[in-house]
């Protein structure tokens, strides 16, 4: 029997649920709308936004994308966000990160209306997540990892979870999700990072490892207790002379070495990645439902 968690298949299940909600909204005369904003021509951001646009279209969400030049000022970007905040046909807004260095990311994320913040990056939504208030939006990648654990039947309550990486997009919110006193949570969570003294020792006692520190193939077989669940969030580009463009994408987990020992493991690609988009679509339909409810 395989120990792979098929993120693509689980994302498709969620898409089916989301499309039904989109159709129900349409039945009430509401067209779910999602606005993407991209600043500059970061190649990875172009690919990511392109994938999100395609999925929106497939599910029946009306998406619009504004691409601004890399020289756009912070003030100009704030004007666009204010316009999208005021546009009733837009239920969700996603400003793709990273932004050019002269723009302060935190200021931009805080300018998006919390009710349209389908990324879950606004301080109000970050606070709600920490408080266990489900009326906010959870960031898509950690929410996707959580959903994969739930739908794979992994016992989270009481589990020892080690989250690798303390970023605002994955590591910190992942910790907040799993430590809640709530169904499908109640875990004992350890957040390890670049200044942690003995990362391997923490990992070895984990029932669940979430690798999100952005270091290619960091998690090795000797860091994984046999039977542990391994979730790989990493997207790292490494040189590969055999690849057409001279490089390839790999995760934070040394998959070939770790898979034989893992109870369950996400492939990469095809594990967490598709779930990030599935959660974005779900957050968008939630935003549209709340905005259109009487
Ligand atoms: N860049 C990398 N991941 C994300 C994400 O989840 N949302 C946005 N807006 N930008 C990102």
């Amino acid at each position: 029997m395989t120990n792979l968690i098929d993120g693509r298949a689980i994302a498709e299940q969620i898409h089916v649920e989301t499309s039904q909600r989109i159709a129900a909204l349409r039945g009430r005369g509401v067209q779910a709308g999602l606005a993407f904003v991209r600043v500059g021509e970061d190649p990875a951001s172009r690919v990511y936004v392109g994938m999100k646009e395609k999925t929106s279209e497939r599910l029946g969400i009306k998406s619009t994308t504004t691409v601004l030049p890399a020289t756009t000022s912070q003030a100009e970007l704030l004007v666009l966000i204010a316009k999208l905040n005021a546009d009733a046909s837009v239920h969700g807004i996603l400003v793709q990160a990273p932004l050019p260095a002269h723009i302060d990311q935190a200021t931009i994320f805080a300018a998006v209306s919390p009710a349209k913040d389908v990324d879950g990056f606004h301080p109000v939504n970050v606070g709600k997540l920490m408080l266990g208030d489900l009326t906010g939006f959870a960031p898509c990648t950690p929410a996707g990892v959580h959903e994969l654990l739930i739908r794979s039947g992994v016992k989270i309550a009481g589990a020892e979870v080690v989250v690798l990486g303390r970023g605002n997009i994955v590591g910190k919110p992942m910790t907040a999700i799993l430590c809640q006193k709530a169904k499908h949570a109640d875990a004992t969570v350890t957040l390890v990072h670049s200044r942690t003294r003995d990362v391997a020792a923490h990992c070895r006692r984990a029932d669940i490892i979430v690798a999100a520190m952005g270091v290619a193939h960091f998690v090795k077989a000797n860091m994984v207790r046999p039977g542990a669940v391994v979730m790989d969030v990493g997207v790292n580009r490494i040189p590969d002379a055999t690849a057409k463009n001279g490089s390839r994408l790999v995760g934070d987990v040394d998959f070939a070495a770790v898979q034989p020992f893992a109870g369950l493991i996400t492939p990469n690609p095809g594990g967490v990645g598709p779930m990030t988009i599935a959660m974005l679509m779900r957050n968008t339909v939630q935003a549209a439902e709340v905005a259109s409810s009487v």
Side-chain angles (χ1 to χ4, degrees), residues 3 5 149 207-211 219 223-225 227-233 252-255 258-259 261-267 272:
N3 63 352
I5 295 178
L149 292 171
D207 301 305
I208 301 168
I209 294 174
V210 181
V219 177
M223 297 164 74
V224 177
R225 194 177 54 70
V229 175
V230 181
M231 312 299 284
D232 187 359
V233 179
D252 287 354
V253 175
D254 186 348
F255 182 84
V258 169
Q259 189 199 6
F261 301 99
L264 288 171
I265 185 167
T266 54
V272 174

Side-chain angles (χ1 to χ4, degrees), residues 48 52 94-98 109 119 121 140-141 169 276:
Y48 289 141
K52 292 169 190 174
L94 183 143
V95 183
Q96 184 68 27
F109 290 153
D119 253 333
F121 294 164
C140 301
T141 300
I169 292 181
T276 298

